[in-house]
Amino acid sequence: MNMLEQRYRAVLRLLPRAYRQAWEDDMVDTFLSGVPESDDPEFAEIARPSWPEIASVVALAVRLRLDAVRSHLGGAGASPRDLVWGDAVRLIALAGLLVHSVAATLAVANMLWLNGRIPGLAPPDFAVAFGFHTGWRDLWTSGFVWIPAFVALLLGYRRVAQGLAVVAVVPALLNAVANVSALIDSSPPVAVQVSGLAAEVLLNTASVFAVLAGFHRDAPLVRRPAWWLAAYAALFAGILGVEVTSFHGGLPLDDSFIYTLPFLTAAVVCLGGHARRSASEGPPWALALAILAPVMLATQTTTVLENDLLPLGTTRSTLMALALAKIVAILLVTGPLAFLAVRSLRRRPPAPAAPAVPSGPPAAR
Amino acid sequence: MTEPAFFILTALVGAPCHGYGIVAEVRELSQGRVHLKVGTLYGVLDRLVADGLVGLDREEIQQGRLRRYYRLTEQGADALAAEVARQTANADVASRRLRALRAASAGGSA
């Protein structure tokens, strides 16, 4: 084995072991056949696989490993246990895109209101006084791309939805990077900044990873898309109602309620539904909510730390009491959700011993 | 069907071929436009084998290395024929439209 072959085999180590066992020797032969000078020992001593050849192996390795993950999320030949995991990840994707879309719709509606572009609804006095004007840049940072991503997913345009979700997460991650740079100045305590950064990254990337991993080519279409659209309308109306009530002297609100309120509502509905139905129903929801619980806790913990910076007063006390109450509520529902999820997974057979990567060609006849 | 898969199946029509033979054949068939890298070739080949469109013909030892020859299966020939019919229909539609456009342009400018 000459040095060039050794170097190429080193690159092939990026591939999963099972795949290498099936294909490596043939790949090596194909590669070396394409390099006529490889028989020259002097050439082989210094030659290396070209970057495009290495890139093609890297791309193959990424695809195979993604396929392996997807095969455990309800892909072809998945076990009953894997089907639950797949359904749960798709629910996380849908729920994440739903809440992000509602938040983006509210941000866009707020922008239109400040600009006096909502017929029959006058802009607030301060917006008129300061001549508020918002443009495309503000629209981009509002995260409006989540809305077409959510709609595309409901309509079954899987690839479009995945592309849009990746685009949608960009402004949020840029914002997170800006927060990292603010860490250097460190006007708020570092703990608040770090917690906020972690919550922001978790909230935004969890749904994107779930969309990419869960909606593979073997994944079923979204069940009951009309139901999800109704949930979008209901959530938008509900949050708008709560915000308007708060604006007119109701309970003060923190930023995280837009995530934690739907989470707690879904958890209560899931647990309530489980109490009425047989134990075998609803495990994907329980699993999805149990996975999301740490994300909700991170978000709510950030809120508590931020509230702690507010000047002492009634508003601070109310916000702090509400934030702590939500943390307790999240912890209270997480235990039963996790118990339900684990129990239902244990009752289902685990993944079969099917290979996660393509086997080699069958023997010649 | 992707373009690399289409050319790989076409390269195997008529005679079994080994990995590098497929790469060279695809380059020739596409008039140098499609140059398959090894990772790309096997990324497509493994799926074609898994779907039953390509099968193993034989294995040989060449210069101490394993060399596999692949052949087109009946299922693969059917899939390729269906793809050819689809592409031909698409090309016909486009050609008719272009001919009509050129005829209209020639008539307008006359």
Side-chain angles (χ1 to χ4, degrees), chain A:
Chain A
M1 188 187 300
N2 63 38
M3 285 303 291
L4 179 59
E5 182 175 341
Q6 278 185 37
R7 287 176 186 129
Y8 190 64
R9 284 187 187 273
V11 174
L12 293 183
R13 284 201 197 105
L14 292 168
L15 301 171
R17 183 192 295 266
Y19 192 89
R20 272 188 285 136
Q21 281 174 353
W23 299 95
E24 181 175 349
D25 287 343
D26 198 32
M27 290 179 81
V28 170
D29 177 69
T30 301
F31 171 71
L32 292 177
S33 300
V35 188
E37 310 91 330
S38 62
D39 291 334
D40 176 356
E42 283 184 23
F43 174 84
E45 191 65 27
I46 55 167
R48 291 173 188 281
S50 67
W51 287 111
E53 284 292 357
I54 294 171
S56 77
V57 175
V58 170
L60 177 60
V62 169
R63 193 211 89 193
L64 290 169
R65 288 178 200 285
L66 266 180
D67 283 352
V69 171
R70 286 167 171 169
S71 75
H72 287 290
L73 296 175
S79 69
R81 191 179 288 185
D82 287 343
L83 288 175
V84 173
W85 275 105
D87 284 345
V89 169
R90 284 185 284 279
L91 282 174
I92 290 171
L94 279 162
L97 260 59
L98 165 71
V99 176
H100 286 314
S101 298
V102 168
T105 311
L106 284 164
V108 172
N110 191 45
M111 242 180 260
L112 293 173
W113 176 47
L114 291 176
N115 282 315
R117 299 233 180 119
I118 299 181
L121 191 63
D125 294 340
F126 68 87
V128 177
F130 290 104
F132 249 119
H133 179 74
T134 47
W136 282 104
R137 185 185 160 80
D138 303 287
L139 199 59
W140 165 247
T141 52
S142 72
F144 83 100
V145 185
W146 290 113
I147 303 169
F150 177 59
V151 174
L153 200 56
L154 292 187
L155 294 176
Y157 296 109
R158 176 176 61 88
R159 292 272 188 196
V160 175
Q162 288 174 335
L164 286 170
V166 170
V167 172
V169 84
V170 170
L173 290 183
L174 287 177
N175 188 36
V177 171
N179 286 346
V180 171
S181 63
L183 276 176
I184 298 162
D185 298 338
S186 191
S187 45
V190 170
V192 180
Q193 297 275 24
V194 171
S195 170
L197 179 66
E200 188 79 11
V201 170
L202 276 174
L203 266 176
N204 287 286
T205 54
S207 18
V208 175
F209 280 130
V211 172
L212 292 177
F215 284 90
H216 46 77
R217 66 177 179 164
D218 297 323
L221 290 172
V222 174
R223 285 188 283 268
R224 291 178 291 189
W227 186 93
W228 283 98
L229 276 178
Y232 169 82
L235 194 56
F236 176 76
I239 289 176
L240 188 64
V242 172
E243 282 195 340
V244 169
T245 311
S246 172
F247 187 73
H248 290 290
L251 273 178
L253 294 170
D254 53 46
D255 291 341
S256 63
F257 91 100
I258 196 166
Y259 303 107
T260 46
L261 219 57
F263 170 82
L264 287 170
T265 308
V268 169
V269 170
C270 176
L271 292 172
H274 175 81
R276 288 195 306 274
R277 293 188 305 252
S278 73
S280 61
E281 286 184 59
W285 267 110
L287 182 58
L289 290 166
I291 294 169
L292 283 173
V295 182
M296 293 301 115
L297 278 176
T299 309
Q300 203 55 52
T301 305
T302 301
T303 306
V304 170
L305 292 172
E306 285 172 352
N307 288 342
D308 199 37
L309 300 175
L310 293 172
L312 289 174
T314 318
T315 307
R316 178 183 183 277
S317 309
T318 312
L319 282 173
M320 196 58 113
L322 278 173
L324 289 172
K326 279 190 280 180
I327 285 185
V328 172
I330 292 168
L331 288 173
L332 280 176
V333 295
T334 301
L337 286 171
F339 173 74
L340 283 180
V342 170
R343 193 177 63 171
S344 62
L345 282 174
R346 281 189 178 160
R347 285 179 178 175
R348 286 166 167 77
V357 295
S359 58
R365 284 182 295 179

Side-chain angles (χ1 to χ4, degrees), chain A residues 8 19 22-23 26-27 29-30 32-34 39 52-53 56 60 63 67 358 361-362 364-365, chain B residues 19-20 23 37-43 46-47 49 56-58 63 65-68 70-71:
Chain A
Y8 190 64
Y19 192 89
W23 299 95
D26 198 32
M27 290 179 81
D29 177 69
T30 301
L32 292 177
S33 300
D39 291 334
E53 284 292 357
S56 77
L60 177 60
R63 193 211 89 193
D67 283 352
R365 284 182 295 179
Chain B
Y20 182 68
V23 172
K37 300 295 170 205
V38 178
T40 314
L41 168 69
Y42 283 85
D46 66 29
R47 282 186 168 166
V49 168
L56 180 65
D57 188 73
R58 64 183 187 277
Q63 296 174 310
R65 296 195 300 265
L66 174 80
R67 173 172 286 182
R68 283 187 185 137
Y70 299 91
R71 61 176 167 72

